[in-house]
Amino acid sequence: MTDVKKFDRDVEIAWCPGCGDFSILNALKTALSELDLEPHQVTVVSGIGQAAKMPQYIRTNGFNGLHGRALPPALAIKTVNKDMNVIVNSGDGDSYGEGGNHLLHNIRRNVNIAHFVHDNQIYGLTKGQASPTTDENHKTAIQPEGVIVQKFNPIAFAIANGAGFVARSFSGDIKHLTETMKAAIQYNGYAIVDILQPCVSFNKINTFKWYKDRVYALDHTYDPSNKSEALIKADEWGDDIPIGIIYKRQEQPSFTDLIPQLNDAPLIDRKRHPIDAEKFMNDFK
């Protein structure tokens, strides 16, 4: 097991005291440690938002890009270095709003990355706008009459569109979250974990207590390979909210597995000389 302190960074963390992101950061460090990964073997990728500050707070390789655009560079990093453990950490707005199109096509490509969505059902960075997962009729500073459109269901969306690993966890249960992260990272293919993460500053409805009164862990009697049952669980929201691996199919070839040119050594390890490019450059003369 890797010393978990290897993933610490001596930087000031700008999240609000009590933010659910702290638990997610600690769970991620623990998961990487227990998987015996070293910091240089991991790249954490993000877009924009409070959750997207993650690469700054953990000692691994990191990439912080544009709003909603975490998945394209994650795909690129995995393509040039198939041995790298690529993990996307981003919020519900970044992943399900601005990045919705990338989410769909990343599922379709089955890129071998773990996608951890910090879902606090609000835009925390912009101080409380409704996000795609904000409940209907939820009143915010920007929607004082309440949200008038139906919420996005990321679990049902991911299962219906062919994701191989779909899970939900809760930042108030670090042990459960850590184990779920480990399973997602180890899955060969696209793995999404929707993490219920209370925003203590701008979401006064979906609090830690609100979730603790409702979440329950799926037990050993639940079969995550049953897609029909998984879709039923995906729609379960209200007085009871299931957490755990909602759907998991048998692993299939990932995006990089399907590209024969990547079957040998990772692209970054291959030797190339500038003179090799001359034959292509001649086409433009």
Side-chain angles (χ1 to χ4, degrees):
M1 181 185 301
T2 306
D3 184 352
V4 71
K5 292 182 179 178
K6 285 187 174 182
F7 298 99
D8 290 344
R9 291 198 66 196
D10 185 18
V11 295
E12 181 180 359
I13 294 180
W15 290 326
C16 301
C19 175
D21 282 340
F22 285 99
S23 300
I24 298 174
L25 174 61
N26 290 333
L28 179 57
K29 290 178 181 177
T30 303
L32 297 176
S33 168
E34 293 182 0
L35 289 174
D36 202 24
L37 293 171
E38 295 288 338
H40 73 275
Q41 296 175 303
V42 180
T43 298
V44 176
V45 184
S46 70
I48 295 295
Q50 292 291 359
K53 296 174 180 175
M54 186 68 81
Q56 303 167 51
Y57 301 152
I58 187 167
R59 184 169 170 265
T60 63
N61 302 296
F63 183 91
N64 184 208
L66 301 174
H67 202 0
R69 305 293 181 261
L71 290 171
L75 184 155
I77 293 165
K78 191 67 183 179
T79 302
V80 299
N81 188 357
K82 62 180 183 178
D83 294 338
M84 179 64 67
N85 293 277
V86 181
I87 300 170
V88 171
N89 269 263
S90 207
D92 43 309
D94 199 56
S95 292
Y96 304 147
E98 286 80 359
N101 186 50
H102 297 300
L103 172 65
L104 169 62
H105 293 289
N106 200 68
I107 291 173
R108 186 172 63 84
R109 294 182 178 111
N110 193 32
V111 183
N112 185 14
I113 64 171
H115 185 182
F116 299 150
V117 183
H118 305 210
D119 188 354
N120 56 19
Q121 300 182 256
I122 210 79
Y123 278 85
L125 189 69
T126 51
K127 305 187 183 308
Q129 294 170 282
S131 86
T133 55
T134 305
D135 287 317
E136 212 169 333
N137 299 318
H138 182 139
K139 294 181 180 179
T140 73
I142 312 299
Q143 289 86 15
E145 303 300 322
V147 175
I148 61 173
V149 296
Q150 64 179 341
K151 65 181 293 185
F152 176 72
N153 184 332
I155 301 295
F157 177 87
I159 297 171
N161 283 283
F165 183 104
V166 184
R168 176 189 284 133
S169 192
F170 172 42
S171 64
D173 186 341
I174 294 182
K175 183 177 179 182
H176 184 277
L177 178 56
T178 302
E179 293 303 315
T180 307
M181 284 179 165
K182 288 164 61 180
I185 293 169
Q186 291 178 304
Y187 185 78
N188 182 46
Y190 174 72
I192 184 170
V193 182
D194 187 65
I195 305 171
L196 304 176
Q197 177 256 319
C199 174
V200 295
S201 295
F202 299 107
N203 188 338
K204 302 300 183 183
I205 295 176
N206 308 110
T207 62
F208 277 102
K209 183 179 186 311
W210 191 91
Y211 285 120
K212 285 183 176 178
D213 288 343
R214 290 165 174 78
V215 298
Y216 73 93
L218 296 168
D219 62 25
H220 68 281
T221 63
Y222 177 74
D223 178 10
S225 68
N226 186 326
K227 193 169 186 178
S228 298
E229 183 65 23
L231 286 168
I232 293 172
K233 286 297 177 189
D235 274 336
E236 195 173 324
W237 183 271
D239 292 337
D240 298 299
I241 302 173
I243 59 174
I245 299 175
I246 308 291
Y247 178 66
K248 182 181 178 182
R249 72 162 182 238
Q250 188 172 4
E251 293 182 359
Q252 298 178 1
S254 69
F255 180 73
T256 49
D257 294 332
L258 295 171
I259 301 176
Q261 295 89 335
L262 300 177
N263 286 342
D264 300 326
L267 290 178
I268 60 165
D269 292 337
R270 299 183 191 181
K271 303 300 181 184
R272 290 288 184 272
H273 192 278
I275 201 169
D276 295 337
E278 282 191 1
K279 60 182 179 181
F280 301 109
M281 294 172 67
N282 287 335
D283 291 341
F284 296 95
K285 289 182 178 178

